[in-house]
C-alpha cells in the first residue's frame, strides 16, 4: 500500500513538472510574440511624421527608405543641371545667374565648357543677337549597377531668333557621384566628366 502511494506521488511530481515546463514554454512564446509585435509596431510608428502646419493643424507624412528615391532624384538632378546650363536669354545677369546655379551641381568639367564658350564669344552673341535658347529633356538614362553612375541625356535645344527657330539635337554624357545635400544641391549628387557628345541642327524654321 505504501509502495503504491509512493508511486502515485512520483507520477504526480512528473505531471506537475511536465505542466510546469509546458506553462513556461507557453509563457515564453507569448512574451516573445508580444516583444516582436511591440517592436514592429514601434517601427511602423517611426515611419509616420506629424508636421505642424503654421501652428494650425497637424498633417501626417510618411517616411521611407532614402535609397528608394535615388534614381528619381538622380534624374531630377540631371534635368535641373541641363535646364540651368542650357536655358539662355539675352540678358547677361540672367545668363550668369543660371550658369552659377548650374555649376553648384557639377564639377570643373562643366565650368570648362562654360569658360570655352565664353572665350569664343557665344554668350555675347546670345545677348547682341537677342537670342533665346531653351531645352527640352527627352530622356535621362542612369546606370545604377556601377558606381559612379553613368548617365546619358538626350535632349532638344530650341534656339529662337527674330528670323528663325533652330531645333538642335543635344546628347550629353557624365558620371554621377553621391554628394552632400545643401540648399544649392538639394538632391545630393555631383556631376563629373561632363561631355557633350552631340549637338547638331535638326531643322530650321523660318519666321
Amino acid at each position: 500500500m505504501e509502495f503504491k502511494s509512493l508511486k502515485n506521488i512520483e507520477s504526480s511530481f512528473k505531471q506537475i513538472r511536465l505542466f510546469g515546463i509546458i506553462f513556461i514554454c507557453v509563457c515564453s512564446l507569448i512574451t516573445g510574440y508580444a516583444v516582436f509585435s511591440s517592436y514592429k509596431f514601434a517601427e511602423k510608428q517611426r515611419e509616420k511624421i506629424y508636421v505642424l502646419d503654421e501652428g494650425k493643424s497637424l498633417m501626417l507624412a510618411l517616411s521611407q527608405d532614402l535609397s528608394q528615391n535615388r534614381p528619381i532624384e538622380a534624374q531630377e538632378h540631371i534635368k535641373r543641371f541641363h535646364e540651368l546650363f542650357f536655358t539662355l536669354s539675352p540678358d547677361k545677369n540672367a545668363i550668369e545667374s543660371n550658369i552659377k546655379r548650374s555649376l553648384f551641381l557639377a564639377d570643373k568639367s562643366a565650368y570648362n565648357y562654360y569658360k570655352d564658350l565664353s572665350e569664343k564669344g557665344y554668350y555675347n552673341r546670345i545677348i547682341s543677337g537677342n537670342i533665346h535658347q531653351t531645352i527640352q529633356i527627352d530622356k535621362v538614362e542612369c546606370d545604377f549597377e556601377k558606381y559612379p553612375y553613368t548617365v546619358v541625356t538626350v535632349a532638344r535645344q530650341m534656339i529662337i531668333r527674330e528670323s528663325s527657330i533652330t531645333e538642335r539635337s543635344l546628347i550629353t554624357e557624365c558620371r554621377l557621384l553621391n554628394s552632400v545635400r545643401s540648399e544649392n544641391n538639394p538632391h545630393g549628387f555631383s556631376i563629373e566628366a561632363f561631355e557633350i557628345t552631340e549637338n547638331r541642327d535638326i531643322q530650321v524654321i523660318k519666321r
Side-chain angles (χ1 to χ4, degrees):
M1 189 69 178
E2 289 182 2
F3 178 74
K4 188 175 181 180
S5 299
L6 290 173
K7 191 173 182 181
N8 290 336
I9 292 172
E10 185 179 354
S11 298
S12 297
F13 274 122
K14 286 182 179 180
Q15 289 180 353
I16 291 171
R17 185 170 59 185
L18 178 62
F19 290 150
I21 292 172
I22 293 173
F23 178 75
I24 291 171
C25 290
V26 171
C27 289
S28 299
L29 288 173
I30 293 174
T31 303
Y33 177 75
V35 172
F36 177 76
S37 298
S38 300
Y39 176 78
K40 295 297 289 184
F41 178 78
E43 283 291 315
K44 195 170 183 180
Q45 290 302 308
R46 276 199 291 267
E47 294 177 357
K48 297 180 180 179
I49 303 170
Y50 292 91
V51 182
L52 188 62
D53 182 20
E54 297 181 356
K56 297 176 182 178
S57 61
L58 284 174
M59 295 185 298
L60 176 63
L62 297 177
S63 64
Q64 59 184 12
D65 187 1
L66 181 63
S67 61
Q68 293 178 358
N69 274 338
R70 290 309 269 170
I72 296 174
E73 289 185 317
Q75 291 182 359
E76 289 301 316
H77 184 90
I78 293 295
K79 287 180 181 179
R80 186 60 177 158
F81 168 78
H82 282 75
E83 287 168 356
L84 290 171
F85 195 82
F86 292 101
T87 299
L88 304 173
S89 61
D91 184 309
K92 182 180 179 181
N93 291 334
I95 291 173
E96 290 179 351
S97 175
N98 274 10
I99 295 297
K100 182 179 179 181
R101 289 159 63 195
S102 70
L103 295 179
F104 281 116
L105 310 178
D107 69 354
K108 196 174 180 180
S109 59
Y111 173 76
N112 289 338
Y113 265 103
Y114 163 69
K115 186 177 179 181
D116 183 57
L117 290 172
S118 182
E119 289 176 352
K120 291 177 179 178
Y122 180 78
Y123 300 106
N124 288 333
R125 291 195 297 273
I126 291 284
I127 296 169
S128 62
N130 195 32
I131 299 170
H132 293 264
Q133 179 177 295
T134 62
I135 187 170
Q136 178 179 330
I137 309 297
D138 293 327
K139 184 169 57 175
V140 177
E141 295 180 346
C142 301
D143 182 9
F144 277 86
E145 297 299 321
K146 184 180 178 182
Y147 184 81
Y149 314 124
T150 302
V151 183
V152 177
T153 306
V154 179
R156 283 175 292 163
Q157 281 181 292
M158 303 298 292
I159 301 174
I160 305 169
R161 299 179 175 88
E162 186 178 351
S163 59
S164 65
I165 299 175
T166 303
E167 182 178 354
R168 296 180 64 85
S169 171
L170 176 69
I171 300 177
T172 68
E173 294 181 3
C174 66
R175 293 193 298 267
L176 208 55
L177 300 173
N178 291 318
S179 183
V180 177
R181 294 176 188 267
S182 67
E183 184 178 349
N184 296 314
N185 186 1
H187 296 115
F189 283 108
S190 179
I191 294 171
E192 71 167 13
F194 175 73
E195 181 182 5
I196 298 175
T197 58
E198 179 179 293
N199 192 10
R200 60 179 178 84
D201 290 354
I202 299 176
Q203 63 175 340
V204 178
I205 303 172
K206 297 295 182 179
R207 303 178 70 182

